[in-house]
Amino acid sequence: MSQEQKLSYYINKAKSLDITKYEKKIRIALLGSFTLNGIEETLRVKCSEIQIGCNSYVAGYNQYHQEVLNKESNLYRFSSDIVFLVLDARSILGKLFHLPYSVSESDRRQFVKDKVSDISNLIRFFTSYSTAKLVLTNLAVPTYSPYGICETKVSYGLQEMVNDYNQQILESIKNTESIYLYNFDSFVTRIGEKNVFDFKQFFLGDIQISFDCIPYLVSDFVGYVKAVLGLSKKCIVLDLDNTLWGGIVGEDGFEGIKLGSDPVGKAFVEFQKILLALHKRGIILAINSKNNFDDAIHVIRKHSDMILKEEHFACMKINWNDKTQNMKEIANELNIGLDSMVFFDDDPVNREYIRTSFPQILTVEIPKDVSQYAPLLMSLNDFDTLKITKEDLGRGNMYLQEKQRKDLQQQATNLDDFLEQLEIKLKIKKANDFTIPRISQLTLKTNQFNLTTKRYQDEDIKKFLDGGHWVGCAQVEDKFGDSGITGVFIVKKNTTEWFIDTFLLSCRIMGRGIEDGILAQILKKAKESGVKTVVGEFIPTKKNTPSENFLSDYGFKKIGQYWIFDTSNPIKIPKYLDCSVEE
Amino acid sequence: MTKLFEIISRVLNAPITQINDESGPETMDGWDSFNLYVLLDEIETTYNVKFNLDETLEIKNVGDFKKILQKYGVVDF
């Protein structure tokens, strides 16, 4: 856990923030059952530190019921992207917080049930009036009990009550996509109840999160901001010597490096295990190391304590080339932006070099003490996304397939020959409960092949469907495997003309004519429906140049700021694509 | 005498030259009840002392901070 600044630093900084200068913006409302001063200021400053302009609204002290239940309240008028509802055990439990045993066990159970249904009702009300993400905190389980060591002998005692409340709240919101539970109880466990709850501050101003702890809490909150804005990192680029193992393999040799048995070696193993777990949830791993390839690959392939194997790395740059050059090549080969990369290197000089060359890469400040590598990695919330999809879980495997495709490409005599041999199947699917999370995710994170870069949450997608528009996605398979849903389009339908609101393709499958195949299906459908004109748009960003010429190359004609296709023109479909459309 | 004034200046965002023992909520814009608690917290951390709750409530101006700090044996502000 990195050291945070004092609260006064944030409070003062917040006064002079100019949020108009940031391209990315977020609107956040804070509601709570106790004093939230300080949290709001810290949130705005922490957002500005990562180039996000944050507008905020803080509801009046303990006004959350009124604000949520009144459709005309300032909360709804503010139209937030995220609402944090921060509750505490004292106010939820009321009298029972101090005197839990003044009522019978069955009354305690009923009490918790009622509170859960009260909060669930609030949430239901909220979701029917707002499309904002709601982040609700659970309750910190009190460590004190009047029953002392006998607390655990009581049936449905104080601690069990709070645990049960937390469990029931968790169950009640688990399946609501726009609601997240922030585990405040585990925050308190991590920081310590003695540190979080300062009795003096509590008596002075109903301050229930001490000043020193507020910045830590807000750092966790910023994780939601990054996820909502789609700023999550996709790839970790790693050095080798003294980063994945102790020592320098070129000097210390295969036997001499520290990995596994001794305390230092155990720290590297732990670090690798955390990396492997991130890989399994969809984070890409890559290597950027100055080393003799043969020495390093020998360790990766043969060392018995090496947790990460060759198959876990989507790209390996082990050479004596310039590290920034390697970095660019990794980004190119993996088809991801530099700003979705995180860089780990023990050498401060390398870090500084990468940081100054590519400020958009998150270069992590590594502590000198190797025992702190794993906890540092665990503390990063830069990989947080609003959901984890099937595609995320299979990503590691997909990069392996990608390597096989590259091998095939090298053997093939020309590009058409290669594409033919891939036996690509393109399936156009409709948006439904199964595909909407992935569709939203792709709109949030696709930057390069994206004509309009419009970001949509699940609720926005549903609105398109309710409006009778066509939201579709493309699943791509070839002989090496299933790439999953990797393309998305949204077509706004009018009787005479269709408008392509969104058209994007995951960078992983660019360059295989998939985009032509998808567009052709849209145009064919338009023609069948008697629609003569399909209108497209290209909104340039810093990153979407790969899709700049797509519409004109396909045969759209520019009129004003739009691109027009007359459906009486021939509709081209790459002959090697096997296309199907779900009806 | 400057360290205490420096903390007050930084936390309440006021020019150090305008701070004296009589400075308080009437003379300093930043001195509201919440910021007073933030200030108190930083002074406690800096001088490694903990004020009692009743002492905290007696603080009406900068001079009061000094009086309490002196009570805890702080001589160099």
Side-chain angles (χ1 to χ4, degrees), chain A residues 6-9 11-12 15 35-38 41 198 200-201 203-205 207 211-212 214, chain B residues 9-13 30 34-35 37-42 44-45 50-53 56-57:
Chain A
K6 294 291 276 183
L7 183 63
S8 64
Y9 165 86
I11 291 180
N12 275 323
K15 289 183 187 136
T35 307
L36 298 176
N37 297 48
E41 292 91 333
D198 178 318
K200 192 164 69 188
Q201 292 180 6
F203 295 133
L204 284 172
I207 296 151
F211 296 145
D212 282 347
I214 284 176
Chain B
S9 159
R10 179 169 51 75
V11 174
L12 300 184
N13 204 16
F34 185 77
N35 280 339
Y37 304 145
V38 176
L39 178 60
L40 171 78
D41 179 56
E42 300 229 355
E44 286 181 333
T45 313
K50 283 278 174 198
F51 289 23
N52 291 334
L53 185 60
T56 306
L57 295 169

Side-chain angles (χ1 to χ4, degrees), chain A residues 105-123:
Chain A
E105 182 196 334
S106 67
D107 285 352
R108 291 197 292 274
R109 287 188 188 273
Q110 189 57 45
F111 180 88
V112 167
K113 218 172 140 193
D114 292 345
K115 285 294 166 188
V116 169
S117 97
D118 175 38
I119 298 296
S120 306
N121 277 334
L122 274 187
I123 291 171

Side-chain angles (χ1 to χ4, degrees), chain A residues 337-580:
Chain A
L338 288 164
D339 61 356
S340 48
M341 296 165 105
V342 177
F343 181 53
F344 269 88
D345 192 319
D346 67 292
D347 181 350
V349 178
N350 284 338
R351 290 201 298 267
E352 196 50 33
Y353 184 42
I354 295 290
R355 197 175 283 136
T356 46
S357 310
F358 305 122
Q360 65 272 49
I361 294 178
L362 174 65
T363 299
V364 183
E365 205 41 44
I366 310 266
K368 282 210 163 71
D369 179 4
V370 53
S371 70
Q372 298 307 305
Y373 282 20
L376 174 73
L377 178 59
M378 290 192 284
S379 76
L380 295 182
N381 59 13
D382 296 272
F383 307 111
D384 281 337
T385 48
L386 291 177
K387 50 214 148 209
I388 295 177
T389 58
K390 203 176 99 215
E391 281 75 11
D392 291 328
L393 300 178
R395 183 164 296 123
N397 213 4
M398 287 180 199
Y399 277 95
L400 203 64
Q401 294 163 11
E402 195 52 35
K403 277 187 194 159
Q404 295 168 329
R405 285 186 195 103
K406 285 216 168 99
D407 292 344
L408 176 70
Q409 188 166 10
Q410 275 164 5
Q411 293 155 21
T413 47
N414 60 48
L415 185 64
D416 277 349
D417 181 32
F418 162 65
L419 292 170
E420 185 88 56
Q421 286 183 39
L422 275 180
E423 298 162 23
I424 304 171
K425 287 193 185 73
L426 169 64
K427 291 181 189 163
I428 307 288
K429 296 184 154 187
K430 286 192 291 200
N432 56 33
D433 287 349
F434 299 105
T435 55
I436 285 174
R438 173 65 177 165
I439 289 172
S440 160
Q441 185 189 48
L442 281 170
T443 71
L444 289 173
K445 64 180 209 172
T446 308
N447 296 318
Q448 299 182 73
F449 201 100
N450 194 336
L451 292 183
T452 54
T453 322
K454 294 183 183 170
R455 311 297 195 191
Y456 294 123
Q457 303 289 346
D458 292 15
E459 296 75 22
D460 304 317
I461 302 292
K462 285 176 190 155
K463 274 190 197 153
F464 277 113
L465 296 175
D466 292 342
H469 302 300
W470 185 16
V471 181
C473 56
Q475 187 195 345
V476 179
E477 270 178 54
D478 64 19
K479 72 170 181 186
F480 293 110
D482 184 350
S483 299
I485 292 168
T486 39
V488 166
F489 58 86
I490 299 173
V491 176
K492 287 188 182 166
K493 289 180 176 177
N494 275 318
T495 36
T496 52
E497 125 185 340
W498 283 9
F499 179 77
I500 303 174
D501 173 86
T502 291
F503 190 104
L504 63 85
L505 200 67
S506 163
C507 47
R508 257 201 335 262
I509 53 157
M510 274 160 52
R512 287 179 224 159
I514 308 287
E515 55 275 29
D516 290 345
I518 301 172
L519 186 58
Q521 301 307 321
I522 297 173
L523 298 173
K524 260 173 64 184
K525 196 84 184 166
K527 193 173 183 172
E528 284 165 25
S529 314
V531 173
K532 201 168 150 29
T533 315
V534 176
V535 183
E537 188 183 10
F538 175 74
I539 303 174
T541 66
K542 279 184 197 145
K543 294 182 184 169
N544 68 353
T545 33
S547 52
E548 195 176 5
N549 298 320
F550 171 56
L551 292 172
S552 68
D553 287 349
Y554 194 89
F556 280 61
K557 297 278 173 274
K558 192 164 191 185
I559 298 178
Q561 58 167 329
Y562 296 108
W563 291 87
I564 311 289
F565 190 88
D566 181 335
T567 54
S568 57
N569 288 327
I571 294 167
K572 299 170 286 184
I573 302 177
K575 62 175 183 0
Y576 52 83
L577 280 186
D578 172 4
C579 303
S580 64

